[in-house]
Amino acid sequence: MKRLLALLLAATAIAGCPDPATPTGRAENVRIVSADHPDLRYEGHWHRGAVATTNNSGSRLRFNFQGSRLVALFDVAGIRYPPQIYVSIDQGESVKYIVDREHIDLADGLQPGVHEVLLVVKDVDEAGNRWEPPFESALQLRGFELDAASRLLAPPPASRLRMEFYGDSITQGVLARCNVSSAECSDGATTYAYLTARTFAAESNQVGFGAQGITKGGDGRVPKAAETFGLNFQGSPSDPGFVPEIVVVNQGTNDWPAPAAEFRQGYKAYIEQIRAAYPDAWIFAMGLLGIEGLPFPKSTYIEQIIAEIGDPRIVHVDTRGWLGPGDFDGFTHIHPTVEGHRKVAARLVPLIAAATGIAATEGQDPKLASQKKVD
């Protein structure tokens, strides 16, 4: 009798358990897609698992689904500096969301058929800890909620060209939109790095950490450039399967106080570290954009270091004259504006194409510049 009672209780427990695709406390007629679903295609530095985490502005996610409703699910526990994202459905207008809650409704009442989704990380705020878990500043995606009858489809094909960008707050997109150091004014999707990758229709890793340098760590507990290479964040190795054909380095702006010898030694070691990781890649070492267009002295050191290395596939990029006084933010006078980033990309793209023989496609995500905001 006791055994029968135990079996009945076990059967009742199993029958009463929520479907693993149905979250506790949510409607039963939904399907949950976990962040580690194979039909979600991530681009950039993401720690991938049941929760997909990125601390880099400009990271992306693409997928296709069949259904009429879409809700994004986030982990916001401990996040003091909410990240911001853009979401575009069916190549339509990009909508900006502040990720300060667990559930964000992205679409409802879509027409029947297959829908294409692009999620772009606008900014992960540099002010909070974004290197050592648990984070104060990071995008932590748990997955998506769909209608019960909906499903994900095979993702769009990945580009065969891969690019990687390493830099500081300029590559992050800090102060690109306005003159307050905040996620609102920062925009990784307007940077020279993002625009260059899109113009080549390339898969890309965009790694930019505010205040980071060759000789110093960045904001948010981020270590020096060499100590972050090959990592998403502390304890999380980046995807070893992502091997870029092209690497662009824009480091050195934050190293202005460092002694020349320390910077020279560190910068050379950093370039050699990248070369060791990617023996066949083209590496483009950008000169510094400077303050209001006036180059830093260390820009000359970068040119000298690349000449000393003498590798024909490591190219110094002379950025002198690329930007003028009106192309920088009005707060620090160091960070390019949205238009300044466009000018940098317009100079960088043909230089890369000429050196590598890889043609630019002029492809770009639609309507990213004309986003509307949903708080």
Side-chain angles (χ1 to χ4, degrees):
M1 185 67 180
K2 290 182 178 179
R3 185 171 182 275
L4 178 60
L5 180 60
L7 289 172
L8 287 171
L9 289 172
T12 303
I14 292 172
C17 282
D19 186 320
T22 304
T24 302
R26 303 289 284 177
E28 292 184 0
N29 60 338
V30 299
R31 178 186 299 276
I32 299 301
V33 174
S34 176
D36 58 1
H37 194 287
D39 286 337
L40 295 175
R41 183 158 66 77
Y42 293 92
E43 184 178 341
H45 276 192
W46 292 83
H47 177 88
R48 304 177 196 180
V51 176
T53 302
T54 184
N55 53 14
N56 286 130
S57 306
S59 296
R60 292 152 50 96
L61 169 62
R62 301 184 77 107
F63 62 96
N64 293 334
F65 81 102
Q66 195 169 37
S68 62
R69 178 172 170 271
L70 181 66
V71 179
L73 308 175
F74 299 98
D75 181 357
V76 296
I79 299 298
R80 296 176 54 203
Y81 303 87
Q84 297 188 5
I85 61 173
Y86 292 129
V87 178
S88 173
I89 298 178
D90 297 333
Q91 300 188 24
E93 184 177 30
S94 291
V95 181
K96 183 177 74 175
Y97 299 89
I98 298 174
V99 184
D100 56 1
R101 52 201 182 276
E102 292 185 349
H103 303 85
I104 296 181
D105 294 327
L106 301 179
D108 199 3
L110 294 173
Q111 294 297 314
V114 177
H115 301 286
E116 180 182 350
V117 180
L118 170 65
L119 183 154
V120 180
V121 181
K122 175 180 176 286
D123 189 63
V124 175
D125 200 313
E126 63 178 324
N129 166 35
R130 57 173 170 167
W131 189 255
E132 302 170 3
F135 301 112
E136 297 176 316
S137 181
L139 182 72
Q140 301 178 133
L141 176 71
R142 293 193 294 114
F144 296 93
E145 180 181 295
L146 311 174
D147 291 324
S150 302
R151 61 193 179 95
L152 256 62
L153 305 172
S159 171
R160 289 183 292 179
L161 177 63
R162 294 179 169 185
M163 304 182 75
E164 203 156 53
F165 297 83
Y166 288 100
D168 46 39
S169 55
I170 293 173
T171 302
Q172 180 181 337
V174 170
L175 295 168
R177 287 200 172 273
C178 47
N179 295 326
V180 179
S181 184
S182 65
E184 186 64 27
C185 287
S186 303
D187 194 335
T190 66
T191 66
Y192 78 92
Y194 192 93
L195 297 176
T196 298
R198 303 288 76 75
T199 303
F200 280 99
E203 296 282 306
S204 66
N205 288 342
Q206 182 175 330
V207 183
F209 293 115
Q212 188 192 56
I214 297 295
T215 62
K216 66 182 294 294
D219 292 334
R221 302 187 190 177
V222 176
K224 300 174 185 177
E227 296 171 19
T228 61
F229 184 80
L231 295 172
N232 300 315
F233 48 79
Q234 181 176 283
S236 174
S238 56
D239 179 8
F242 188 96
V243 179
E245 287 79 23
I246 297 168
V247 180
V248 179
V249 178
N250 184 12
Q251 276 284 7
T253 298
N254 293 308
D255 294 290
W256 60 268
E262 180 184 358
F263 175 77
R264 291 174 65 97
Q265 180 180 4
Y267 192 93
K268 183 179 181 182
Y270 184 56
I271 296 297
E272 290 173 341
Q273 180 182 21
I274 296 172
R275 167 55 77 223
Y278 308 130
D280 300 320
W282 285 89
I283 301 173
F284 293 86
M286 292 180 64
L288 308 182
L289 297 170
I291 299 178
E292 290 285 22
L294 299 175
F296 288 150
K298 287 185 173 58
S299 223
T300 302
Y301 301 155
I302 292 173
E303 183 176 12
Q304 294 170 350
I305 291 164
I306 300 308
E308 290 170 9
I309 292 174
D311 185 328
R313 292 174 74 90
I314 301 179
V315 179
H316 171 254
V317 179
D318 186 353
T319 61
R320 287 175 293 188
W322 283 18
L323 299 180
D327 297 321
F328 292 85
D329 75 273
F331 179 51
T332 67
H333 309 286
I334 292 175
H335 303 84
T337 61
V338 170
E339 184 58 31
H341 277 288
R342 286 176 181 154
K343 290 181 178 180
V344 173
R347 295 280 197 134
L348 183 60
V349 165
L351 189 152
I352 291 174
T356 63
I358 300 172
T361 66
E362 297 186 2
Q364 194 169 334
D365 292 330
K367 304 181 183 178
L368 266 176
S370 58
Q371 77 283 356
K372 65 180 180 181
K373 177 182 178 183
V374 176
D375 290 332

